[in-house]
Amino acid sequence: MLIKKTKIRESRDIFLLFLLFFSTNVALMAPIVFYGVNIFLYILLCISMFLIRFEFSKKMYFLILIFSLVFTSLIFIQSTYLYYGRYIFDLSFFSIVMGIFCLLTFEFIRNTSTEIIVKTLKYSIYIFAIPIILQYVYVYVFGGNPSLVDISTYLGGDVSRSMGVGDVEEKSLIFRPTGFTSEPAISSGVISSLCALYYLGEKNKQLPIVIGVSGMILSMSTLGILLAVIISSLCFVDSLKKLFVFMCGAIVSSGFIFILLFERFTRFESGNDGSNNAKLEVIKYYFSDLGIILFGFSTPNTSKFTPPDFFHALGDLGFVFNAIGRYGLIVGGLVIAIIIIGLLKTKTTLREKILLFLGVLKLNILAPFFIIMVIVVGKISNERK
């Protein structure tokens, strides 16, 4: 009877954690996903996990208090010097509230066994990587119509940004699978973070990482392919035989990587690479004002005013500059410093540290899954001797 109850409890924990990982990573441009999964399901899960453990430790209380005070104060400071100051409150407070809900899962995750977390991460890698692989096979092996495998459209959302690398006028755009996100690069970022956590908890059974890396490569995202090569070298290369296999694969993929990078550079140089040119404008904007340098450009709600075109790239500059850009050199820089010091103090190897850094490249410091990553890394590290 006791064994049966334990099995039921384990299944429940895996189910809840899987939904939590999914709800904090799925990024389809469909209202039902944003409001139903990213918000409603996510909040429901956080409350459920808190009630299941029902522990409100001093550490959790302290974290929520400091978290709320620091970022709430920052929002009011930002509103005094940004010309769009009145339009930063809703999204900024929304991020704080979502972060607070995530902190409620602290005790649940901390008291869940590493074995269960690893199993959940395995299933999570599969759910984000396998759809990409299937989309790729359907379009490139069977010659299917790319629009028929866009998950977002089936849920009443906008078309995913799956067409890229090519010339619009010549209709030579290449289909890049996106899976359960709106962009190939986002999918690759999600998979890399899941693989990093999985490797931290399980190094012997590497099939999930193989599936994850395959999904990243087949997403045909420049970032995804680069991450896949680096992650493969860190996870699989520990002998001459594996090194040979890896080098063969790297040589084959390097040609495609070079083509992608050259194509992006050519477009950037000519001013036709909207994404990278917008990022360059964001960097210039950051250094244009002392207030922005010190306290950041925040998270404006661009639907309420007419922003410059480059504002759509404010949160797409990588983990470090996202933190410093949004929250300034004082708060953002301090948080980055604390994260780096904390990572260096964890009982993790150099390989694991690099993997974890790669895993947060597409995240924001207030992103719920980043907070989850911090909790999981702290738990696994503390359990090591």
Side-chain angles (χ1 to χ4, degrees):
M1 189 68 176
L2 182 61
I3 296 175
K4 187 177 180 180
K5 286 185 178 179
T6 302
K7 289 290 184 182
I8 293 174
R9 191 179 301 113
E10 287 181 357
S11 299
R12 178 203 64 192
D13 291 350
I14 291 173
F15 178 69
L16 290 175
L17 277 176
F18 174 78
L19 289 179
L20 181 67
F21 293 169
F22 182 77
S23 65
T24 52
N25 281 306
V26 63
L28 295 172
M29 295 186 293
I32 191 172
V33 173
F34 179 70
Y35 293 105
V37 180
N38 298 137
I39 297 180
F40 179 75
L41 177 61
Y42 164 74
I43 291 175
L44 183 63
L45 289 167
C46 292
I47 294 174
S48 299
M49 290 178 173
F50 173 69
L51 293 176
I52 287 172
R53 291 290 181 260
F54 205 70
E55 293 181 34
F56 204 80
S57 64
K58 290 182 179 179
K59 183 180 290 187
M60 184 192 293
Y61 179 78
F62 178 76
L63 285 173
I64 292 176
L65 181 64
I66 295 299
F67 180 88
S68 304
L69 286 176
V70 169
F71 286 100
T72 300
S73 300
L74 180 63
I75 292 171
F76 285 102
I77 293 173
Q78 290 174 329
S79 68
T80 63
Y81 63 85
L82 293 171
Y83 78 88
Y84 49 83
R86 73 180 79 174
Y87 305 119
I88 68 173
F89 291 99
D90 47 1
L91 291 183
S92 297
F93 279 121
F94 174 76
S95 297
I96 293 174
V97 171
M98 296 296 274
I100 291 173
F101 272 111
C102 194
L103 289 173
L104 294 179
T105 67
F106 178 81
E107 292 297 337
F108 183 91
I109 296 174
R110 192 171 69 88
N111 289 289
T112 301
S113 70
T114 300
E115 181 183 358
I116 288 177
I117 293 175
V118 167
K119 283 183 180 179
T120 308
L121 288 167
K122 176 180 70 175
Y123 300 141
S124 300
I125 292 171
Y126 290 161
I127 200 64
F128 282 100
I130 291 177
I132 292 175
I133 297 171
L134 294 176
Q135 288 175 333
Y136 182 91
V137 170
Y138 176 76
V139 173
Y140 288 105
V141 177
F142 296 107
N145 187 341
S147 64
L148 295 179
V149 291
D150 191 335
I151 299 173
S152 180
T153 58
Y154 287 100
L155 298 173
D158 296 334
V159 177
S160 299
R161 303 185 188 98
S162 57
M163 304 303 290
V165 188
D167 193 296
V168 177
E169 294 181 359
E170 295 180 5
K171 298 180 179 180
S172 60
L173 291 176
I174 297 174
F175 170 72
R176 301 185 300 166
T178 58
F180 277 105
T181 72
S182 59
E183 295 182 23
I186 296 176
S187 291
S188 297
V190 169
I191 295 171
S192 68
S193 62
L194 293 169
C195 286
L197 290 178
Y198 179 85
Y199 184 81
L200 196 65
E202 175 60 75
K203 294 178 180 59
N204 298 320
K205 300 175 182 179
Q206 296 186 329
L207 178 61
I209 297 180
V210 172
I211 299 294
V213 166
S214 300
M216 292 166 68
I217 292 173
L218 296 182
S219 74
M220 301 176 75
S221 157
T222 306
L223 174 66
I225 295 173
L226 289 171
L227 285 176
V229 171
I230 298 171
I231 290 172
S232 298
S233 66
L234 292 170
C235 295
F236 306 137
V237 181
D238 57 4
S239 66
L240 289 176
K241 182 179 178 181
K242 288 185 178 181
L243 179 62
F244 174 75
V245 174
F246 169 73
M247 288 305 295
C248 290
I251 290 171
V252 172
S253 63
S254 62
F256 186 62
I257 293 172
F258 176 76
I259 293 172
L260 288 176
L261 291 176
F262 180 75
E263 189 272 340
R264 289 300 291 270
F265 178 75
T266 303
R267 288 168 59 196
F268 176 72
E269 225 179 11
S270 62
N272 293 324
D273 188 345
S275 177
N276 284 328
N277 283 286
K279 292 173 185 175
L280 182 60
E281 289 299 315
V282 172
I283 294 173
K284 290 179 181 178
Y285 177 65
Y286 172 76
F287 287 105
S288 67
D289 184 87
L290 181 60
I292 295 176
I293 293 173
L294 295 178
F295 300 106
F297 44 64
S298 192
T299 309
N301 187 343
T302 55
S303 65
K304 293 187 175 181
F305 68 107
T306 305
D309 291 338
F310 66 84
F311 264 42
H312 73 270
L314 289 183
D316 193 25
L317 292 168
F319 179 72
V320 174
F321 195 79
N322 272 348
I324 296 175
R326 284 187 186 277
Y327 311 111
L329 196 58
I330 295 176
V331 174
L334 179 62
V335 172
I336 292 296
I338 292 172
I339 291 169
I340 292 174
I341 293 171
L343 181 60
L344 291 175
K345 286 185 175 181
T346 57
K347 298 172 185 175
T348 54
T349 64
L350 179 60
R351 289 190 183 208
E352 292 169 338
K353 287 179 172 66
I354 296 173
L355 281 171
L356 290 170
F357 176 75
L358 295 175
V360 301
L361 282 180
K362 297 292 287 184
L363 293 177
N364 179 1
I365 57 175
L366 292 189
F369 193 70
F370 173 72
I371 297 173
I372 292 170
M373 283 189 72
V374 172
I375 298 172
V376 172
V377 171
K379 171 190 168 51
I380 295 176
S381 173
N382 291 334
E383 289 179 350
R384 292 180 175 179
K385 296 180 180 179

